[in-house]
Amino acid sequence: MSVVGGGGKNGDLVRKSQEGLEMDAIAGDEKRTRFQVNRVRNETPDDTVVINVNDDNVEDNENLLTVTDRTRLNSDTYDTKYVKSFRHLTREALPRLDNYRNILSLQAANRPTLDELHNATLPNKGQQNPAHGLNGKDEGAQVKFGWIQGVLVRCLLNIWGVMLFLRLSWVVAQAGVGQAILLILTTTAVTTITSLSMSAISTNGVIKGGGTYYMISRSLGPEFGGSIGLIFSMANAVACAMYVVGFCESIMDLLKSFGLFIVDGGVQDVRIIGSITIIILLVIVVVGMEWEAKAQMGLLVILLIAIVDFMVGSVIPPSDEAHAKGFVGYNLTVFMENIEPDYRVDENGVTHNFFSVFAIFFPAATGILAGANISGDLRDPQSAIPKGTILAIAVTTFSYIVMAIVCGFTVVRDATGNIEDFFNGTFRDCAPGECLYGSQNSFQVIELVSWIGPIIYAGCFAATLSSALASLVSAPKVFQALCKDKLYPKIEWFAKGYGQNNEPVRGYILTFIIAVAFILIGELNLIAPLISNFFLAAYTLINFSTFHASLAKPVGWRPTFKYYNMWLSLLGSILCVLVMFLISWWTALLTLAVVLALYLIVAYRKPDVNWGSTTQAQIYKNALQTVHQLNNVEEHVKNYRPQILVLSGMPSARPSLVDFANMITKNISLLVCGHINTSVLHQRVRSISHDKALSWLKTHKLKAFYMQVDGCTFEEGSSALLKACGIGKLRPNILLVGHKSDWQKCSRDDLNSYFEVLHNALDLHMGVGILRLQTGLDFSQQMEDEQNNGSSIPRNQSYSHLSQGSSCSDVSVPATPLSRSKDGAISSSPNAEEESLKKKKIIYDGPDATEELPKEILSQMFQFQKKQKRGGTIDVWWLYDDGGLTLLLPYIISTRRNWSNCKLRVFALANKRDELEFEHRNMASLLAKFRIDYSDLQVVPDITSKPAEQTQQFFDSLIADFRVQTNKEDPDSVEISDAELLAVKDKTNRHLRLRELMLEHSHEANLVVMTLPMPRKNIVSAPLYLAWLELLTRDMPPILLVRGNQTSVLTFYS
């Protein structure tokens, strides 16, 4: 069969079926609707189907993939008569990754708005082409690094920095082997906890450029992010100077071994060599990241060779000259002497202790951020940062400990270096400070022990230069990201990038100037404590970011890295602060003062940014106390919370409906129980009802509010609740109602009122949910029967008992009276689950009532509080892209303790039968980006197939009563006309087919969540729409039909 299709002004084009259906590009600037279906013309031969479609998308032939058995559902019954692409039959957009890319807006460009779907008269906007990459640029030409070259290599080179060859032996001499190992492990503990926290943040969505600054600012907000970003950039610039100074010391020691010097063999030589070195490094990084990465790989090879050279040299017997300088080979006696600490006064008069030595050694730990700092240049930072950083910490910690033990075994603390003293056995006889050799006096011990000395010099050069190179790259990258966000005045000039990699050349020059200034100091030990405090401040906020995000628990906090703990992160944050003060209390105070000052500057400026930080989430959690502060915080998709207005009537009348809503909102968002009375109530009665409802909610430990209106119709009362419920940001965004099970028997006014409530919610851009249980939701009749028999439930029982007592009064009203009488009795509750119209009376419910309701009734009333059996499923039929609410709600339910044993199964629709594998891969990628675990994903291929005759007959029986003329003289008096059925024939057929698929795949599920069909205004009548709902929900497990408001509630960004 061939398919004839047309697009735009170019007329109809013919395509063979084996080539697929390809849309022609639309010429001109004329606006087109995204999903427009014209009538099928029948004047063509029988073996062709003519479709005239206006669509801006061009389907590539390479995307038409083979159908696999894994994604084929009921494909044997596929009817080629319904071969039309599904998207050409509806304005709906299927869930796609591109709809969630725009982090600056909740409304996706390629998803129709709620108005476009709901209002038949509004045309759709022209389709917009998705941007390339995450920032709208083509990222294919940019240089991107994997986790080894981008993170592991950089972290190894930074940690194996100046300390490995210049200070490790001195640390062992001062602290002894025992305390040196403790010092290394203490450093490792701080860095490991920080790495775990950083891994959690980096895997909670896409990480852009800016590394540590980006993670902290997007987690804790611009105030903390801006302050730490600025001092972190400064710390990297100073660290660059420190590593260059270390390189200078190595050069000077090499020159001294030959009796050479430049000016004075001291500070002046350091300044000269350092300035030349930093200029060369600047040239390398300005040329580009690709050259810098190649240089790093070469330096790593040299460094590894140097470490091997040291280990080999330690097992070779020392020469007499080396022996005289303190290298005695492996000697247990020397090791036992070196076990104990021997803290001394240095040439500057500083008496060292554990913490002063720790302060000098700790900058080695700053290397853990080398990979994270270039997050914008990583191919997959979410995976690369955790793997590379943690592995680098493990490798370097092991190497540091091994080398410290080797130094303790083989080198004495003091030696004269005189061979005659060695032969006399007096080479160790010298007072502290008089000897020139030994681990206490010489920084060239590693070179002394090595097999080939010059290789150690090369390793020292490689370690220091690689660390300096990494710091010279990190500081401008972080500073550039900070400048782009415009958190501080007068720094936007440095945000400009150059070249395909957006290199921060201006930042490189600024870092160069800062580094040169600190190089002129020339003393490594003076620089180290300052760097330590700057980096510890960054570590503190990284740990606190993870703790704060875990504490606030926004729905958007779903890191794929699970090996973290919020309390461990808090401990790491506290530990970092303590170490700051133990290293140098005045430097710590200075650092904190700088952070506070920078924080206040950003807070005062109030930059126009909205990153969905955990600070915003915490404000929401404390909304009752900080409601005014909350009003100043913009909404963000990461902090989206499903706030539900459930039309439950008196909560005790529909406990299963309230429990279901609470299962979604518990501990994360707002829940309001709405109660509508059509009769005018006395204030005292309303107060009693209010107190009784709150008492019931409190007794059952439900964190919800109760709101009632009276003296109005159900439609008017619902409209009032929808518009007036809530305050500030504490306002419902989802309307939850029960399914109207008596829609075929109730009056037409009640039916239309129920339908209009759904329209009103959608008009207010609220999500809508309809819950149906086959046993019903309304238990007010059974409860009143029990009350009339003098029985009730003690209010201090567990979930299997129902409390009807009130702590405020002995007089109460029935849970949810159903009467619509005019005698003043309390009347109809909103959900329309009720079938009885009996009159109700106010009854006495004393506090001493103790009898229970029947167990089967209690089981039905509290079925959502039961522990679900292992192996159960929550089936999610995500039919249309409503912003993700259809997927988010079942995910939240699956996280609840009683439902944690249930796995998510996701069902989605396919555009075409021959694109199932492509659709399956896209949907799997989308779910993976959202970090939502699921056990099975199936793509429905034959949604447009012709339904079975039995299903059609069932639907006809549902609408039979509404097809009868109410006025025999008027042929148009039927409530569901032929014209209406014809207009929505395709949609009805889809619902018929969906019923068959749901009965086939989901009849044994614990819960079914499905996208609610859109009730189009002036297109679908109330009886037909309720018939659709009946068709989809009859004979099903507990089922929730839900429709979002077409704005994103899910995101894969950090």
Side-chain angles (χ1 to χ4, degrees), residues 449-509:
V449 176
S450 65
W451 178 28
I452 303 175
I455 293 181
I456 294 299
Y457 279 109
C460 186
F461 299 158
T464 52
L465 289 178
S466 63
S467 298
L469 201 57
S471 297
L472 187 58
V473 170
S474 298
K477 294 280 186 181
V478 174
F479 189 63
Q480 182 187 36
L482 174 64
C483 295
K484 284 183 177 179
D485 291 333
K486 301 178 181 179
L487 301 184
Y488 295 101
K490 311 300 182 182
I491 63 173
E492 296 89 347
W493 188 78
F494 293 99
K496 181 176 176 59
Y498 296 86
Q500 64 181 13
N501 261 34
N502 198 33
E503 295 291 347
V505 176
R506 296 174 179 177
Y508 289 145
I509 297 175

Side-chain angles (χ1 to χ4, degrees), residues 130-316:
H132 297 287
L134 295 177
N135 53 9
K137 296 182 179 180
D138 185 3
E139 298 180 351
Q142 297 184 15
V143 178
K144 296 290 184 181
F145 304 114
W147 73 275
I148 295 178
Q149 188 177 13
V151 181
L152 179 62
V153 170
R154 294 175 183 277
C155 289
L156 288 176
L157 287 170
N158 266 258
I159 299 174
W160 283 333
V162 64
M163 295 300 169
L164 183 66
F165 298 106
L166 297 182
R167 289 295 182 269
L168 182 60
S169 59
W170 178 82
V171 168
V172 173
Q174 290 279 347
V177 176
Q179 290 192 17
I181 294 176
L182 177 62
L183 185 148
I184 294 171
L185 292 178
T186 302
T187 302
T188 301
V190 175
T191 57
T192 301
I193 294 175
T194 305
S195 296
L196 295 177
S197 300
M198 182 174 62
S199 299
I201 299 175
S202 64
T203 59
N204 189 50
V206 175
I207 297 294
K208 294 185 178 181
T212 306
Y213 158 73
Y214 184 88
M215 289 186 283
I216 294 176
S217 62
R218 269 56 175 179
S219 297
L220 291 178
E223 296 85 1
F224 280 113
S227 59
I228 210 65
L230 204 55
I231 72 166
F232 191 78
S233 299
M234 176 63 71
N236 274 282
V238 176
C240 179
M242 184 196 73
Y243 295 128
V244 170
V245 169
F247 171 75
C248 295
E249 289 188 357
S250 300
I251 290 289
M252 290 170 56
D253 288 334
L254 180 61
L255 293 176
K256 286 180 181 178
S257 65
F258 295 100
L260 302 175
F261 59 89
I262 299 176
V263 177
D264 59 356
V267 175
Q268 296 299 331
D269 286 5
V270 168
R271 292 168 178 168
I272 295 172
I273 298 173
S275 299
I276 296 173
T277 303
I278 196 68
I279 292 174
I280 297 174
L281 295 179
L282 177 65
V283 172
I284 293 175
V285 297
V286 169
V287 168
M289 286 292 294
E290 194 171 2
W291 283 93
E292 187 265 351
K294 291 178 180 179
Q296 294 280 27
M297 290 299 295
L299 293 173
L300 178 63
V301 172
I302 297 174
L303 194 147
L304 291 174
I305 294 174
I307 294 176
V308 172
D309 178 46
F310 169 77
M311 299 304 298
V312 171
S314 68
V315 298
I316 298 176

Side-chain angles (χ1 to χ4, degrees), residues 69 174 376 409 448 488 546 646 696 758 779 920 957 970 1006 1009:
D69 292 335
Q174 290 279 347
F409 260 112
L448 178 67
Y488 295 101
T546 302
V646 53
W696 189 91
L758 304 182
F779 293 91
H920 187 280
S957 67
D970 183 9
N1006 296 56
V1009 180

Side-chain angles (χ1 to χ4, degrees), residues 117-118 755 758-759 762 1012-1017 1020 1025 1028:
L117 286 177
H118 191 214
F755 191 52
L758 304 182
H759 279 303
L762 293 171
L1012 177 71
M1014 176 59 69
R1016 299 288 296 280
K1017 280 185 176 181
V1020 181
Y1025 186 77
W1028 286 350

Side-chain angles (χ1 to χ4, degrees), residues 717-737:
S718 299
S719 178
L721 287 175
L722 289 171
K723 294 177 181 179
C725 184
I727 180 173
K729 294 294 189 300
L730 290 176
R731 188 177 300 278
N733 51 28
I734 298 174
L735 172 67
L736 179 63
V737 298

Side-chain angles (χ1 to χ4, degrees), residues 376-512:
D377 297 301
L378 298 177
R379 190 177 301 115
D380 182 13
Q382 292 175 274
S383 173
I385 292 175
K387 286 194 297 186
T389 305
I390 294 175
L391 181 58
I393 290 175
V395 172
T396 52
T397 299
F398 176 77
S399 64
Y400 268 113
I401 291 176
V402 170
M403 293 183 69
I405 293 174
V406 170
C407 288
F409 260 112
T410 60
V411 183
V412 298
R413 284 189 168 103
D414 297 292
T416 62
N418 191 321
I419 296 180
E420 295 182 359
D421 291 339
F422 166 66
F423 288 126
N424 297 332
T426 59
F427 73 98
R428 299 178 61 184
D429 297 340
C430 57
E434 296 180 358
C435 293
L436 299 178
Y437 297 95
S439 56
Q440 279 278 22
N441 308 294
S442 174
F443 292 148
Q444 304 304 315
V445 169
I446 303 297
E447 184 266 340
L448 178 67
V449 176
S450 65
W451 178 28
I452 303 175
I455 293 181
I456 294 299
Y457 279 109
C460 186
F461 299 158
T464 52
L465 289 178
S466 63
S467 298
L469 201 57
S471 297
L472 187 58
V473 170
S474 298
K477 294 280 186 181
V478 174
F479 189 63
Q480 182 187 36
L482 174 64
C483 295
K484 284 183 177 179
D485 291 333
K486 301 178 181 179
L487 301 184
Y488 295 101
K490 311 300 182 182
I491 63 173
E492 296 89 347
W493 188 78
F494 293 99
K496 181 176 176 59
Y498 296 86
Q500 64 181 13
N501 261 34
N502 198 33
E503 295 291 347
V505 176
R506 296 174 179 177
Y508 289 145
I509 297 175
L510 177 63
T511 304
F512 165 78

